[in-house]
Amino acid sequence: MINKCLFPVAGYGTRFLPATKALAKEMMPVVNKPLVQYGVEEAIEAGLTRIGFVTGRGKRAIADHFDISYELEHQISGSGKEKYLESIRSVMSKAQFSFTRQNEMKGLGHAILTGETLIGNEPFGVVLADDLCLPDPGQPNVMAQMVKIFNQFRCSIVAVMEVPEDEIHKYGVIKGEAMKDGLYRVDDMIEKPSKDKAPSNLAIIGRYILTPDIFDIIRNTKPGKNEEIQLTDALLTQAQDGCVMAYRFKGTRFDCGSVDGFVSATNHVYENLYTE
Ligand code: G1P
């Protein structure tokens, strides 16, 4: 059974400065809900109810968000405004939260390794909250789709989508042998290649399921692109030594780490999902 999910949330959010000077980027609201809550709700719906955050300096608001605010509860109790707290109360009743801090920014691989203390020796999901993934109406969400595949293959899985050639340099990119139903067996993977070096147009999106041998592999992974310890490099080792699958998920993804993506997500949620 897989029931843990790791959220690396220590990044600075420089693209949203000055908004993110004192505000954790994961707390930016898409309409009335912080970005990170969408990710946590997705994990819970997929059955991953033990949520671990790899946080950093200036991110206290994330821990406060998933904790009880006694003043607020007291103030709002019986006031007719309780409905505004329903979604976060529901999240809090269904999941347990734990936190550890990454005190140096050495890349996504390093963030995942920092989370080892929260995960231990079991498979786990990873959600990068910047990537807001919304399911097709009535369909399971992206993490739930991945859990289903994990239960079949029992190896690490990365979510992928096709991206235009001139955007490929922003992503980890895979090459793989196509199997059925949007599944690929990965045989190559490169972090943020130039478009002439990209092995395909299939970019990794911020949803992963990882088997725990990834921790030792990361420990032995040298800094790569931008001198950071890259999860993509560790996953390539795992693919070469064993098996990694890539899965072309069903649903819509918004790159909320960019202003354009964030605005599109906001419009989409307001028009399709928001109810007062
Ligand atoms: C990270 C990963 C990259 C992946 C991307 C998805 O990059 O390193 O492989 O494609 O997330 O959002 P970042 O966007 O954190 O630079």
Side-chain angles (χ1 to χ4, degrees), residues 3 7 10 13 18 20 32 36 61 74-75 84 117 121-122 124-125 142 155 161 186 206 225 250 252 256 258 260 271:
N3 62 15
F7 285 72
T20 48
N32 59 340
V36 67
H74 176 74
Q75 198 71 34
Y84 298 120
T117 173
N121 189 27
E122 48 186 287
F124 60 103
V142 176
C155 68
M161 67 182 260
V186 173
K225 188 86 184 180
K250 299 185 180 71
T252 309
C256 289
S258 77
D260 283 352
E271 281 158 22

Side-chain angles (χ1 to χ4, degrees), residues 18-196:
T20 48
K21 187 178 171 206
L23 174 76
K25 67 172 172 169
E26 297 79 9
M27 291 302 294
M28 303 241 312
V30 173
V31 188
N32 59 340
K33 201 194 282 182
L35 202 41
V36 67
Q37 191 180 328
Y38 289 88
V40 169
E41 288 177 353
E42 180 182 336
I44 293 172
E45 260 181 60
L48 313 185
T49 54
R50 298 172 71 188
I51 308 289
F53 290 98
V54 179
T55 72
R57 286 180 291 281
K59 299 279 181 163
R60 275 224 9 225
I62 298 176
D64 289 341
H65 186 69
F66 293 100
D67 197 356
I68 295 174
S69 164
Y70 285 101
E71 296 96 290
L72 189 60
E73 292 288 339
H74 176 74
Q75 198 71 34
I76 245 174
S77 166
S79 72
K81 292 183 180 163
E82 297 205 45
K83 62 180 181 183
Y84 298 120
L85 285 178
E86 263 166 27
S87 75
I88 185 63
R89 279 178 177 164
S90 158
V91 163
M92 285 165 55
S93 70
K94 290 178 187 153
Q96 292 121 42
F97 301 93
S98 50
F99 299 85
T100 190
R101 276 172 74 138
Q102 182 186 15
N103 38 36
E104 285 176 295
M105 299 299 134
K106 291 202 230 157
L108 180 59
H110 178 253
I112 300 294
L113 185 56
T114 306
E116 183 181 18
T117 173
L118 304 178
I119 299 294
N121 189 27
E122 48 186 287
F124 60 103
V126 174
V127 169
L128 307 185
D130 278 358
D131 282 326
L132 174 60
C133 293
L134 299 174
D136 296 333
Q139 294 304 308
N141 69 42
V142 176
M143 189 52 87
Q145 294 167 43
M146 293 176 70
V147 166
K148 200 167 162 210
I149 293 163
F150 175 77
N151 288 336
Q152 212 181 330
F153 291 93
R154 313 300 296 180
C155 68
S156 290
I157 301 160
V158 299
V160 293
M161 67 182 260
E162 290 181 5
V163 304
E165 200 181 60
D166 54 352
E167 287 181 28
I168 203 84
H169 66 279
K170 298 183 195 163
Y171 299 94
V173 182
I174 68 121
K175 177 161 112 30
E177 183 195 330
M179 298 169 63
K180 51 170 187 161
D181 303 332
L183 272 172
Y184 300 80
R185 194 184 165 114
V186 173
D187 45 45
D188 199 9
M189 232 175 189
I190 310 180
E191 180 66 11
K192 304 196 175 85
S194 57
K195 69 178 169 193
D196 50 302

